[in-house]
Amino acid sequence: WQFSLDLGVDMGRAYNPYFAPNLGAEIRLDRWSLNGAIGCSLDVLENSLLEPSLYYEIGLRYSLIKR
């Protein structure tokens, strides 16, 4: 078993540029892992204002290559 707690920042551009700090956790057993994160996305609008929005994600992963 492994457990990790992660703090990260995502930056990118979909429709608008965005900056998204997030906090996540992962539980790993051999090649399987269950992960989740919560964060706040700050979207840059056309008039240079920031529009905040909360988001969450949860996932189940399987590693094809064993570490």
Side-chain angles (χ1 to χ4, degrees):
W1 286 90
Q2 288 181 320
F3 175 78
S4 65
L5 188 60
D6 306 310
L7 181 62
V9 175
D10 298 329
M11 291 182 283
R13 180 178 176 93
Y15 297 108
N16 296 316
Y18 66 88
F19 171 77
N22 57 61
L23 176 65
E26 181 178 56
I27 298 172
R28 177 179 295 278
L29 176 62
D30 196 23
R31 292 185 179 201
W32 289 95
S33 67
L34 177 65
N35 60 326
I38 57 171
C40 177
S41 175
L42 300 173
D43 296 322
V44 180
L45 302 178
E46 290 177 8
N47 53 4
S48 297
L49 294 175
L50 296 176
E51 179 181 44
S53 60
L54 294 176
Y55 72 91
Y56 69 92
E57 60 187 31
I58 189 166
L60 180 64
R61 295 182 183 163
Y62 180 79
S63 297
L64 296 175
I65 300 172
K66 189 171 183 175
R67 297 184 211 182

